[in-house]
Amino acid sequence: MRIAVVGTGYVGLVTGTCLADSGNRVTCLDINADKIARLQKGEIPIYEPGLQGLVARNTAVGRLVFTTDTVAAIGSAEIVFLAVGTPPSADGAADLSALWKVIDSIAAHLDPLAVIVTKSTVPVGTCAGIEKRLLVLTGRACRVASNPEVLKEGAAIEDFQKPDRVVVGVRSADVADVLRNLYAPFLRTENPFLVMSPESSEMTKYVANALLATKISFMNEVANLCERMEADIDDVRRGIGHDSRIGFAFLFPGVGYGGSCFPKDVQALAAMARDKGLVPRMLNAVHETNILQKHILGQKIAASFGGHLAGRKIAIWGLAFKPRTDDIRDAPAIDLIEQLLAGAAQVTVYDPEAMANVRAIYGNRLIYSTCAMDALNGAECLAIVTEWGDFHHPDFDDMARRMAAPVIFDGRNLYSPADMHARGFTYHSIGKSPVIGS
Ligand SMILES: NC(=O)c1ccc[n+]([C@@H]2O[C@H](COP(=O)([O-])OP(=O)(O)OC[C@H]3O[C@@H](n4cnc5c(N)ncnc54)[C@H](O)[C@@H]3O)[C@@H](O)[C@H]2O)c1
């Protein structure tokens, strides 16, 4: 099929590339000329495992092209995916300004039979709004569908190529058939292709993310309680996870959820509820709990220095909002950096992939280390914020030698407290009593 993908970010680039890889002819369109120029040269503007090779293979055979030219991208497309950003506006509701700009710019060039598909996460009623707007702009009823994206950054290719389900929201069986045919190569293991109304499909995406965020905030809240009750959250996690009604997924406590989806989607769903006169008590609590949790490490570190951070040398491992991505949008590390810099600490940071993005924000206000171990030289404590694989089995003796004091604030519970105690570290984790170095 001939496909246009509008918005070549984390979702659009992965979507376009995977659809090209299954034999379609895909044109990725973006208004960011610099991004498109880099992609045309074979440079990948984001870090996503496996993406570089897949882009190279499909551009080489001409199935995947990048452009800023709306007419060239849209004119011949049978399916147009909308994958632009939908960030939160001041009141938490999704800001759809980029999406409406796209609709206005593509309307005149759409094939009458083209199917326009929202992949961006959009509030319930957006498909209906697009149908109305395109009717005005084109003078005809256009075929509009919802197909929310469920990929996870860091595993995006695998998620797209082997989805546990594909959800589409359509008004007619023929549009469902177009999308069923498109996704057939990815659903060969009989995972479901779920057809529903656009409204249910749009809601499904928000409810999925809000429920996952709820699990995280709940576990973080009880983890903080465990610390004060001398209980161990990992034991509790194991104790509840074997209950088949609960399961183990998303039960790890930490420093709060970040990224471009959970924080904004929880707020957007709450805004939808408020808009309909409902009070989103649980969603509000999930969001507020998360904001507090993002400050937990900073508070513990400040307390350990008697509230005085000025001049303290603090190392941070992990800046991306999760491992295997360079994405720092709403990342807990940013909250921690803000807290430490506000206290005039001297902060040295290291992340395997996200350094450039952090440097673009903080410039010379931070010290950037080229490897995890060097970040520790002279540090009075280490904060671990992202659970990159590299951090799971470090050389603890080397760490202790480099640090001015062997003190770790682990926001991801990577190590055994007993083991750290035996090694002479003072070790603070989430949801467990701290151990003081021997
Ligand atoms: N990132 C994720 O893990 C993820 C997962 C599922 C769903 N989503 C949703 O997908 C959507 C996109 O997210 P993302 O992370 O890929 O965003 P992103 O910010 O990485 O990419 C958006 C892209 O759209 C481009 N753009 C903006 N206006 C445009 C216009 N008028 N014409 C063409 N291009 C335009 C931007 O230049 C940018 O390259 C959001 O709604 C998000 O909630 C994201």
Side-chain angles (χ1 to χ4, degrees):
M1 300 197 81
R2 289 184 308 278
I3 294 171
V5 180
V6 189
T8 312
Y10 286 86
V11 166
L13 183 55
V14 170
T15 300
T17 305
C18 291
L19 290 175
D21 202 52
S22 64
N24 301 290
R25 298 180 55 152
V26 179
T27 304
C28 288
L29 172 70
D30 206 289
I31 46 167
N32 184 332
D34 179 52
K35 188 180 271 192
I36 292 297
R38 289 180 64 189
L39 284 161
Q40 286 168 338
K41 281 191 276 179
E43 286 173 30
I44 308 298
I46 56 170
Y47 173 74
E48 181 60 47
L51 188 57
Q52 178 121 34
L54 219 51
V55 170
R57 184 161 84 213
N58 287 284
T59 49
V61 294
R63 274 199 305 261
L64 179 63
V65 295
F66 301 98
T67 186
T68 54
D69 181 344
T70 303
V71 183
I74 302 299
S76 62
E78 295 159 272
I79 305 179
V80 177
F81 280 101
L82 308 178
V84 295
T86 52
S89 47
D91 66 352
D95 175 354
L96 296 184
S97 53
L99 184 107
W100 294 124
K101 269 191 203 140
V102 172
I103 297 298
D104 290 349
S105 66
I106 66 173
H109 314 293
L110 285 170
D111 183 281
L113 285 180
V115 179
I116 299 98
V117 186
T118 53
K119 250 219 179 294
S120 302
T121 304
V122 290
V124 180
T126 302
C127 270
I130 294 173
E131 286 164 350
K132 277 192 204 139
R133 192 126 162 186
L134 285 177
L135 181 62
V136 171
L137 293 170
T138 65
R140 60 175 188 268
C142 291
R143 307 202 292 175
V144 181
S146 157
N147 170 219
E149 184 47 60
V150 293
L151 61 76
K152 300 182 290 296
E153 287 174 27
I157 307 273
E158 167 105 0
D159 285 351
F160 194 95
Q161 294 181 329
K162 296 178 192 161
D164 46 17
R165 84 285 197 197
V166 171
V167 172
V168 297
V170 295
R171 304 253 185 248
S172 67
D174 61 315
V175 172
D177 286 344
V178 170
L179 294 173
R180 186 180 285 111
N181 185 34
L182 182 72
Y183 278 108
F186 307 111
L187 294 171
R188 288 163 60 91
T189 51
E190 303 300 331
N191 281 348
F193 180 81
L194 301 169
V195 182
M196 55 188 78
S197 71
E199 289 70 27
S200 297
S201 168
E202 289 165 340
M203 185 60 116
T204 295
K205 173 66 189 174
Y206 280 106
V207 172
N209 276 358
L211 182 56
L212 294 170
T214 302
K215 287 177 98 172
I216 295 173
S217 274
F218 178 80
M219 287 307 286
N220 285 336
E221 183 161 299
V222 294
N224 296 339
L225 182 58
C226 281
E227 277 177 32
R228 285 157 185 78
M229 307 297 280
E230 294 183 23
D232 181 323
I233 189 66
D234 272 336
D235 289 340
V236 174
R237 187 178 58 79
R238 286 204 305 277
I240 63 172
H242 286 288
D243 183 329
S244 59
R245 297 167 303 176
I246 296 175
F248 278 103
F250 266 72
L251 292 189
F252 286 97
V255 283
Y257 56 77
S260 70
C261 292
F262 287 3
K264 86 170 167 60
D265 292 349
V266 168
Q267 292 178 78
L269 190 56
M272 276 182 251
R274 282 195 302 275
D275 193 45
K276 294 293 174 195
L278 300 175
V279 181
R281 291 187 182 82
M282 282 190 64
L283 296 169
N284 289 344
V286 169
H287 178 59
E288 284 159 19
T289 303
N290 193 55
I291 288 174
L292 295 175
Q293 195 68 15
K294 283 175 155 186
H295 291 105
I296 284 279
L297 274 196
Q299 283 163 359
K300 287 183 179 179
I301 293 170
S304 77
F305 292 121
H308 303 293
L309 288 169
R312 295 294 188 176
K313 291 185 172 181
I314 297 168
I316 299 179
W317 280 3
L319 304 170
F321 84 95
K322 66 174 179 177
R324 294 164 66 83
T325 181
D326 62 350
D327 196 346
I328 58 164
R329 289 178 286 185
D330 262 330
I334 300 298
D335 293 77
L336 176 60
I337 289 170
E338 290 291 335
Q339 278 172 282
L340 298 179
L341 290 182
Q346 182 187 311
V347 184
T348 303
V349 297
Y350 171 73
D351 186 283
E353 295 295 338
M355 298 290 269
N357 286 338
V358 169
R359 196 191 290 264
I361 298 176
Y362 289 100
N364 61 10
R365 296 168 66 203
L366 299 173
I367 300 165
Y368 303 90
S369 184
T370 50
C371 75
M373 282 299 171
D374 283 354
L376 303 179
N377 295 343
E380 293 169 86
C381 72
L382 163 67
I384 302 176
V385 186
T386 316
E387 67 276 33
W388 281 95
D390 322 28
F391 305 152
H392 281 267
H393 294 289
D395 180 338
F396 290 109
D397 293 337
D398 191 21
M399 288 173 74
R401 272 194 300 273
R402 288 168 181 261
M403 297 179 75
V407 180
I408 298 177
F409 293 85
D410 182 354
R412 299 295 178 179
N413 289 4
L414 297 188
Y415 315 130
S416 142
D419 189 32
M420 297 309 285
H421 178 67
R423 291 174 184 278
F425 280 85
T426 292
Y427 182 62
H428 302 260
S429 47
I430 305 286
K432 302 161 190 250
S433 305
V435 295
I436 309 302
S438 51

